[in-house]
Amino acid sequence: MDARTVARQLELLGTPERAKNSAWFFKTGPGQYGEGDIFWGITVPEQRKIAKTYKDLPLGEVIKLLHSPIHECRLTALLIWVSQYQNGTATKKLAIYKAYLANTRWVNNWDLVDTSAHKIIGPQLGPNYKSTLTKLARSSSLWEKRIAVIACFYYIKLGDPKPAFYIIDILKYDQNDLIQKAVGWMLREIGKACSREILLGWLLTNQQYTKLPRTTLRYAIEHFDQADRKAFLSGRA
């Protein structure tokens, strides 16, 4: 059982048409956030099946798979790690967490981050989140910043918005669209999983909502009713 075998199984499932569509969807053109990424054209359900089949792939082989230039190989590697983390011993979880942080260079698209960060980084950090998440949030890497934001989804689902607000305060004015969307998404989830009042309080304090990037605000208030969304977007909330 090795990374090469997994890659061969994945390659057999690809189609040129899906590969072309994925390359467009994940912005792989010159100057775009996914520039140079390569797709075989494999659906996510198919990748999940492969990940389940190879759920016991050794750590070193998962890392080899993660280092692949093929997007679907990297996603499958992360799916395997998520499964192994969720079902692993404390020792296994720590090893996966450390390997993940040592290999963020290859967790390099939004679907890769969103599939894994809140299922590996958040749970492992627990209440001691500030040092690691701050380092990620202040990184020059777009994807490490997004990892910091999405890792907070773990806490939000537990009803604790504090880690998310802590990281959001670092990144709330970031100019990258993918960070703005991630921040807005976490704000929206705070309103859903914690309470609407907590979200409103944060948005309204010092009229903070008027200073947020438009993309962030739109995501944050997505589930408000039409009148409230209009009030926030017009600056009259």
Side-chain angles (χ1 to χ4, degrees):
M1 186 182 290
D2 58 24
R4 187 175 299 178
T5 301
V6 181
R8 282 199 298 263
Q9 292 295 312
L10 286 167
E11 188 173 11
L12 292 172
L13 297 170
T15 71
E17 183 179 358
R18 282 203 299 260
K20 182 179 179 180
N21 289 337
S22 294
W24 171 83
F25 184 74
F26 286 101
K27 310 300 183 188
T28 63
Q32 295 182 309
Y33 63 75
E35 181 177 359
D37 207 350
I38 303 169
F39 288 82
W40 278 337
I42 309 162
T43 67
V44 173
E46 288 172 330
Q47 292 173 74
R48 291 189 183 280
K49 287 180 182 179
I50 294 293
K52 186 175 182 180
T53 299
Y54 294 95
K55 60 183 175 61
D56 296 320
L57 194 68
L59 183 69
E61 294 302 314
V62 180
I63 292 173
K64 289 179 184 177
L65 192 63
L66 183 64
H67 288 189
S68 171
I70 308 302
H71 187 101
E72 291 96 338
C73 288
R74 301 199 303 281
L75 179 56
T76 300
L78 291 167
L79 290 170
I80 292 171
W81 262 353
V82 166
S83 174
Q84 290 180 347
Y85 185 92
Q86 292 176 335
N87 295 286
T89 63
T91 300
K92 180 70 171 180
K93 289 179 177 181
L94 180 60
I96 292 170
Y97 163 80
K98 288 182 175 180
Y100 187 104
L101 286 181
N103 290 278
T104 54
R105 175 182 171 186
W106 290 276
V107 187
N108 58 352
N109 214 313
W110 59 263
D111 63 321
L112 306 179
V113 174
D114 297 0
T115 295
S116 58
H118 65 294
K119 295 181 178 180
I120 294 175
I121 301 302
Q124 190 64 34
L125 290 174
N128 302 311
Y129 59 86
K130 285 189 177 180
S131 177
T132 299
L133 292 189
T134 299
K135 183 178 179 180
L136 290 167
R138 296 194 184 282
S139 169
S140 60
S141 163
L142 161 64
W143 305 116
E144 289 192 345
K145 289 179 182 180
R146 188 163 174 118
I147 287 169
V149 179
I150 303 302
C152 296
F153 196 16
Y154 165 76
Y155 303 96
I156 292 170
K157 290 193 289 186
L158 293 177
D160 181 6
K162 292 191 296 296
F165 281 138
Y166 176 78
I167 294 302
I168 287 168
D169 277 337
I170 296 174
L171 291 170
K172 61 189 175 185
Y173 302 134
D174 195 276
Q175 294 302 301
N176 190 283
D177 182 66
L178 287 172
I179 300 303
Q180 294 174 6
K181 289 177 178 177
V183 168
W185 175 20
M186 291 305 103
L187 287 170
R188 182 187 70 200
E189 294 305 316
I190 287 171
K192 291 167 61 180
C194 301
S195 81
R196 177 68 61 85
E197 287 71 24
I198 290 173
L199 173 58
L200 285 171
W202 188 87
L203 290 170
L204 292 170
T205 298
N206 298 322
Q207 291 191 308
Q208 187 155 228
Y209 74 95
T210 63
K211 304 163 192 163
L212 292 175
R214 201 69 163 177
T215 297
T216 299
L217 181 59
R218 286 187 181 277
Y219 269 69
I221 63 175
E222 186 176 13
H223 289 285
F224 288 17
D225 62 40
Q226 185 176 358
D228 286 341
R229 287 199 307 273
K230 185 175 181 180
F232 272 96
L233 291 171
S234 64
R236 298 195 301 271

